[in-house]
Amino acid sequence: MEREKSYAVYLKRGCIAVLKVEVFFKLIAFFVIGPLLDWAFTTWVLGDIPVFNEAMFLSILSPVSLVLAVIIFLAVALWCYYEISCLITAVYLGRMREKLSLEDILKSSKEAMKGMRHFSLPLSAIYFVLFLPLVHAGYLNSLVPKVDIPRFVVGELQRTSMGNLGIRAIQAGYIVVFLILLLVPFAMVLKRESFPKAVKQNFIWYRQFSWKDRFLLWAIFIFWILLENWILDSLQGKLIQDQDFNLSVLKYFLRSHTYRVGLACWIVLALIQCVAIVLVFLWITRLLDKYKALPYLPEQAGGKEGLKKGLPAKAGKERRIARLCKKIWSSRSSKKIWAGMLLIAIAAAATDYFNEAPLMHEPWAIGHRGCIFEAENTIAAVERASGLGADYAEIDVQLSKDGVPMVIHDEDLQRLADMPEKVENLTADQLQELTVISNGEKGKIPTFQEMVEAVKNTKDKTGLLVELKPTAENRDELVSKIIETVEKCNAKNQCIFMSLDYESVYQLQAEHPEWWIGYCIYGGVGKMEDAVWEYNIDFLAVEEGLASNKFMEKARNSGLAVYIWTSNNFDDMENYLEMGASGIITDLPDLARDTIDRYMKDHQEYYAYDGKGYPKKKN
């Protein structure tokens, strides 16, 4: 009974201490360290030049940029490790002390930084910044809360059984490695050891544990991983992202119902994680104590005397400033003037703060590669999407060997036709002879002209969102053939265009500035607000992992429509619409149609263009 009582006391102390630590680190990460590191990376590494897609990986390859990027990465690692050391220290000291201040935890944890002053720092950085957030169990931090395999990669792999198997194998692999190195952070924090020595100490502890205790410890973390994945799946589309904590948080909160729901869910999940951290860390410390392996850690409660010494001088300065301010404010001649100026400043700031630019047009339902109910990128898939209420159907176009624009996504035919040949190495006739299989359905590869003619005959005149997929050698030819086909079929009002290749976008825009042309983005680094002025585009099509209130606000204020791909969840779609999305690119156009129709009934928005189709521009 006494043991249960002491454990309950430890749990209460630990929860209070961990909550203090998490509030402190989250505020610092969201509003200080995060923006500072982002500024440093953008200014020093990128040189204030925003880059997107594959250019992201090439932007830091110069020697100077690479060195600066490594320095920033190491700085991130030190901060992530410091937060984890504070969490471990908070639970550890909570076992010994009734009252534990944040100052005590922060000071005691500084000693643990000795383990990072070692030649193995780069290895430690990879472990704390990339690996632990990838698993996201137990050792959490606020600066890099979670690392995921990019959605655009996972999405493509999930379209095949082998891809799904590969994803599961990768996940199982890094979870196994995580369990093998499970006690490394405890060794680094409690024994003040470097990463290599901590790995060695980790295995020493494991050898001391019985098999029962070892498996029980692993089972606890596996349960954490499974439970959190279930919670995240249940809250899909409801949670807000960490970048949504910025100076516009009040505006998001007042404007968006989904933001308020997401914030509430985020807070509840954060509290659950705090309790889970305490429970798990208490279990580990008790386990180490059981085998007489728990290191002695000085309480490090000192330091208050130094603080007291500086108080009188500081207080004296504050009193002098306060007297001066009071004297100025109390002056009758200036009191009304100061009050009026203050009110004007507040009103001006509030007006600017809550002012929003209009959205470009009413939101569209856009079928991704047609829809999921037929073989992708086939005429049947587009016609089905039209029947399900899609405003546009997104298709992918690339050139055949003989220069014919063909509607197909992959560069090769391995996934769709079980052939290793590349599309650019086969003629149009050879491609059209093939039978492709996707979404459990069979179909034929159409030419772009056949697809355009087919949509012109759809009942609701569904449009095409044409994604150009050129190679470096055939970019000019592809752009030219697309223009030729659209003009030949008189389909300029039924087609809009985009590409991951900005050169194709630029050429198309130069030839036909009156067409609706956008840039497709799956990732980017640098200042988005600079990019939207630099690129000559009408809209952005962004991978849904990039969609946040902050991102959408920047695009909206710059007069750009944003279409988000590939969203197949009702909650996600609703959230994106409240953020200001002008289109949802989805495998399920019927769900998007229903979500948009519901949204339009319940929301009143001001649109710069309220006609049918896309906003017309002068030739």
Side-chain angles (χ1 to χ4, degrees):
M1 188 71 181
E2 186 66 29
R3 185 177 180 182
E4 292 179 0
K5 182 179 178 181
S6 64
Y7 189 79
V9 170
Y10 295 160
L11 178 61
K12 180 180 177 181
R13 291 179 189 170
C15 286
I16 294 173
V18 165
L19 185 60
K20 291 177 182 177
V21 170
E22 284 299 275
V23 169
F24 171 78
F25 276 93
K26 280 179 168 46
L27 289 174
I28 295 296
F30 295 158
F31 298 105
V32 182
I33 299 294
L36 181 62
L37 290 173
D38 181 62
W39 171 83
F41 183 80
T42 301
T43 304
W44 298 343
V45 179
L46 300 180
D48 281 328
I49 301 174
V51 289
F52 301 102
N53 302 335
E54 68 277 0
M56 293 186 301
F57 309 105
L58 304 175
S59 60
I60 62 172
L61 292 185
S62 70
V64 175
S65 295
L66 191 59
V67 169
L68 292 172
V70 170
I71 292 173
I72 292 173
F73 178 71
L74 296 179
V76 171
L78 290 172
W79 187 259
C80 292
Y81 173 72
Y82 185 45
E83 180 175 354
I84 290 173
S85 69
C86 284
L87 293 173
I88 294 174
T89 302
V91 175
Y92 179 93
L93 294 181
R95 290 163 49 95
M96 302 189 298
R97 299 182 55 185
E98 183 176 347
K99 293 182 179 181
L100 189 61
S101 69
L102 177 62
E103 181 186 0
D104 294 336
I105 298 169
L106 296 176
K107 286 184 176 181
S108 182
S109 300
K110 283 200 300 185
E111 293 295 315
M113 299 301 290
K114 292 178 179 178
M116 299 292 275
R117 296 200 294 263
H118 193 263
F119 68 86
S120 62
L121 177 58
L123 192 60
S124 305
I126 293 172
Y127 179 76
F128 284 100
V129 178
L130 300 179
F131 184 71
L132 291 183
L134 181 65
V135 181
H136 200 256
Y139 306 110
L140 310 183
N141 78 83
S142 302
L143 192 57
V144 188
K146 193 168 175 54
V147 171
D148 290 311
I149 300 174
R151 294 191 191 185
F152 66 87
V153 174
V154 174
E156 292 304 312
L157 290 175
Q158 288 175 336
R159 293 180 179 273
T160 65
S161 56
M162 286 300 296
N164 276 306
L165 186 62
I167 292 172
R168 297 290 178 268
I170 292 171
Q171 291 173 336
Y174 65 65
I175 289 174
V176 169
V177 174
F178 170 76
L179 295 176
I180 291 173
L181 301 177
L182 189 58
L183 299 175
V184 168
F186 267 78
M188 291 185 70
V189 174
L190 298 184
K191 293 186 73 67
R192 316 306 201 204
E193 291 181 337
S194 64
F195 185 78
K197 290 184 178 179
V199 171
K200 183 178 179 180
Q201 182 61 54
N202 170 82
F203 290 117
I204 292 174
W205 282 340
Y206 268 150
R207 285 196 295 269
Q208 291 178 288
F209 297 167
S210 68
W211 277 103
K212 179 181 177 181
D213 285 333
R214 214 177 299 171
F215 282 124
L216 185 56
L217 180 61
W218 291 340
I220 290 172
F221 277 89
I222 291 173
F223 177 74
W224 179 314
I225 294 169
L226 295 176
L227 180 61
E228 183 173 270
N229 285 336
W230 176 79
I231 292 174
L232 292 177
D233 287 341
S234 302
L235 295 176
Q236 188 177 18
K238 293 185 174 66
L239 285 174
I240 60 176
Q241 300 185 39
D242 289 337
Q243 56 261 44
D244 290 330
F245 289 95
N246 53 66
L247 296 178
S248 297
V249 64
L250 179 60
K251 177 163 57 177
Y252 302 153
F253 184 84
L254 295 176
R255 182 186 69 191
S256 172
H257 167 72
T258 59
Y259 186 87
R260 292 191 292 273
V261 172
L263 179 61
C265 292
W266 185 90
I267 291 172
V268 171
L269 181 60
L271 292 174
I272 292 173
Q273 288 174 338
C274 285
V275 175
I277 287 171
V278 177
L279 287 171
V280 170
F281 287 5
L282 274 177
W283 175 266
I284 294 176
T285 55
R286 289 184 65 181
L287 192 60
L288 292 173
D289 200 20
K290 174 182 176 181
Y291 289 93
K292 311 299 182 185
L294 185 65
Y296 172 73
L297 192 66
E299 295 188 41
Q300 296 291 331
K304 293 183 180 179
E305 289 301 320
L307 181 65
K308 290 178 180 178
K309 290 178 182 177
L311 284 177
K314 184 178 179 181
K317 293 178 183 178
E318 290 176 350
R319 282 196 295 267
R320 286 195 295 272
I321 294 172
R323 284 196 298 267
L324 179 61
C325 292
K326 185 177 180 181
K327 183 178 180 180
I328 295 173
W329 178 254
S330 299
S331 173
R332 285 188 175 183
S333 61
S334 60
K335 194 169 185 179
K336 292 182 179 180
I337 296 175
W338 282 108
M341 291 177 63
L342 182 61
L343 288 174
I344 292 172
I346 292 173
T351 300
D352 183 65
Y353 183 82
F354 289 104
N355 184 47
E356 286 187 319
L359 293 172
M360 189 55 61
H361 58 73
E362 292 186 1
W364 295 335
I366 304 172
H368 181 235
R369 303 180 195 175
C371 67
I372 202 172
F373 306 111
E374 300 287 347
E376 66 179 55
N377 276 314
T378 59
I379 291 174
V382 171
E383 290 177 338
R384 185 74 176 274
S386 177
L388 294 172
D391 298 292
Y392 285 85
E394 181 267 343
I395 60 171
D396 306 279
V397 181
Q398 49 186 312
L399 284 180
S400 64
K401 183 179 180 180
D402 51 346
V404 178
M406 305 297 295
V407 181
I408 185 170
H409 177 271
D410 296 2
E411 292 181 359
D412 60 55
L413 295 156
Q414 188 65 56
R415 177 176 67 91
L416 295 171
D418 197 26
M419 295 173 59
E421 283 82 5
K422 287 190 173 184
V423 171
E424 63 179 329
N425 294 333
L426 297 177
T427 66
D429 288 340
Q430 289 174 318
L431 289 168
Q432 290 198 293
E433 288 175 0
L434 300 174
T435 297
V436 294
I437 302 175
S438 65
N439 304 323
E441 301 290 338
K442 296 180 180 180
K444 293 291 185 178
I445 303 172
T447 66
F448 177 52
Q449 182 172 334
E450 290 172 342
M451 182 66 78
V452 171
E453 291 173 345
V455 297
K456 290 188 71 176
N457 296 322
T458 56
K459 180 181 177 182
D460 297 318
K461 301 295 182 182
T462 300
L464 289 176
L465 170 53
V466 183
E467 180 179 347
L468 284 68
K469 301 180 76 69
T471 64
E473 293 75 23
N474 66 22
R475 177 187 297 119
D476 294 345
E477 185 181 3
L478 177 59
V479 172
S480 176
K481 291 291 179 66
I482 290 291
I483 293 173
E484 178 184 328
T485 303
V486 171
E487 291 179 336
K488 178 182 178 180
C489 297
N490 192 26
K492 62 181 181 180
N493 293 329
Q494 210 165 347
C495 294
I496 59 178
F497 310 88
M498 68 179 185
S499 180
L500 288 164
D501 176 57
Y502 181 70
E503 286 300 318
S504 298
V505 173
Y506 180 82
Q507 290 184 28
L508 198 59
Q509 190 73 269
E511 290 286 336
H512 284 281
E514 76 280 7
W515 289 1
W516 197 242
I517 303 167
Y519 188 29
C520 189
I521 300 173
Y522 62 77
V525 290
K527 293 182 179 180
M528 178 64 195
E529 62 268 30
D530 292 340
V532 294
W533 294 114
E534 185 174 336
Y535 289 90
N536 183 22
I537 54 177
D538 302 305
F539 67 87
L540 288 166
V542 302
E543 198 273 332
E544 61 179 336
L546 291 177
S548 67
N549 284 280
K550 182 179 180 180
F551 183 96
M552 301 294 284
E553 183 180 30
K554 289 178 179 178
R556 179 173 185 164
N557 290 337
S558 300
L560 287 178
V562 177
Y563 312 141
I564 299 175
W565 54 276
T566 306
S567 178
N568 295 319
N569 176 274
F570 171 81
D571 290 325
D572 281 335
M573 292 180 185
E574 185 180 39
N575 193 21
Y576 297 147
L577 290 172
E578 290 215 15
M579 286 180 186
S582 294
I584 303 294
I585 302 175
T586 175
D587 295 321
L588 305 168
D590 52 337
L591 178 60
R593 177 80 276 148
D594 181 59
T595 307
I596 290 171
D597 290 345
R598 289 188 189 184
Y599 175 82
M600 294 300 292
K601 286 181 181 179
D602 299 334
H603 294 77
Q604 295 293 326
E605 284 279 5
Y606 173 63
Y607 299 101
Y609 173 78
D610 57 3
K612 296 294 183 182
Y614 60 81
K616 303 299 189 295
K617 296 176 289 181
K618 295 181 180 180
N619 288 312

